[in-house]
Amino acid sequence: MLDPTEYNDQDMGRVEVKNTTCYMCACRCGIRVTLRDGEVRHIEGNPEHPLNKGVICAKGASGIMKQYSPARLTKPLLRRADAERGESKFEEISWDRAFDIMEERLGKIRKEDPKKFALFTGRDQMQALTGMFAKQFGTPNYAAHGGFCSVNMAAGLIYTIGGSFWEFGGPDLERAKLFIMIGTAEDHHS
């Protein structure tokens, strides 16, 4: 990526802006992503989005780092044979080798007892895929981030008011006679 203080995006290539949704948390704020020749260059809030009206948090604005962080993993890594667990000594391996290792290890577990396998994934958009894979594998031991972060809140809202905010939109503040916020910050949508 070129230094933006030395180069103007429009001088360097085709610039376009795409309206989309932020996935850095469960709020799903509207964002505008500026691309130059298909490369993400800038993320800002979308002022036309009904949820956040152009305001985004620092986490959302820094979403560009998911693409360009120097710490981002881009190839499979295998712990070196001479390394102990926790030493952070790895070697890059091919995707074919990584899949072969996974097939061998998971095949052994599935043959012996699939319930010995536990699966945990990140953000809530992965839960359906995680659950489907775990059920096909034969284990009930699966969970995802949303199970700890937001599902409990959704269940509480469904049982108390009949629905959760992200299923039915934000709270109806204009017609509310009393709105009590417990355990959340005023500037955070959820």
Side-chain angles (χ1 to χ4, degrees):
M1 192 157 57
L2 300 173
D3 183 347
T5 60
E6 296 177 21
Y7 299 93
N8 181 322
D9 278 342
Q10 291 170 338
D11 295 338
M12 300 302 298
R14 193 186 85 221
V15 175
E16 55 188 322
V17 176
K18 299 283 187 179
N19 290 332
T20 187
T21 308
C22 178
Y23 273 79
M24 298 295 280
C25 80
C27 293
R28 305 296 187 258
C29 293
I31 57 174
R32 287 186 174 162
V33 179
T34 302
L35 304 146
R36 184 194 65 222
D37 292 332
E39 181 180 275
V40 177
R41 297 292 294 167
H42 179 69
I43 297 173
E44 62 188 352
N46 179 354
E48 296 173 14
H49 194 274
L51 180 66
N52 59 308
K53 298 177 176 62
V55 177
I56 60 170
C57 68
K59 188 174 180 180
S62 66
I64 192 171
M65 291 307 289
K66 285 182 77 174
Q67 290 293 117
Y68 304 116
S69 170
R72 180 176 177 230
L73 296 179
T74 59
K75 295 180 180 172
L77 300 176
L78 179 67
R79 186 181 326 118
R80 290 186 358 208
D82 63 340
E84 294 293 321
R85 186 179 290 271
E87 283 188 271
S88 296
K89 293 181 180 177
F90 300 97
E91 62 181 292
E92 287 184 3
I93 60 173
S94 70
W95 283 105
D96 287 338
R97 183 162 179 223
F99 288 131
D100 288 343
I101 291 168
M102 287 172 40
E103 182 180 2
E104 177 189 335
R105 292 180 183 178
L106 291 174
K108 184 177 182 228
I109 292 170
R110 190 173 192 191
K111 193 175 192 178
E112 290 174 4
D113 181 4
K115 293 181 184 92
K116 288 182 178 179
F117 179 63
L119 182 63
F120 181 85
T121 58
R123 286 262 169 233
D124 49 0
Q125 61 263 30
M126 291 298 297
Q127 287 181 24
L129 182 60
T130 303
M132 185 171 63
F133 178 82
K135 286 175 187 172
Q136 291 295 316
F137 190 84
T139 183
N141 304 311
Y142 63 94
H145 169 85
F148 300 99
C149 175
S150 57
V151 171
N152 50 10
M153 184 174 78
L157 289 168
I158 288 167
Y159 285 118
T160 56
I161 65 171
S164 62
F165 290 161
W166 50 87
E167 289 174 328
F168 304 108
D172 189 357
L173 297 175
E174 291 180 14
R175 290 187 282 196
K177 293 183 176 140
L178 175 65
F179 185 72
I180 300 173
M181 291 177 24
I182 300 171
T184 188
E186 291 176 66
D187 60 346
H188 190 274
H189 171 262
S190 300

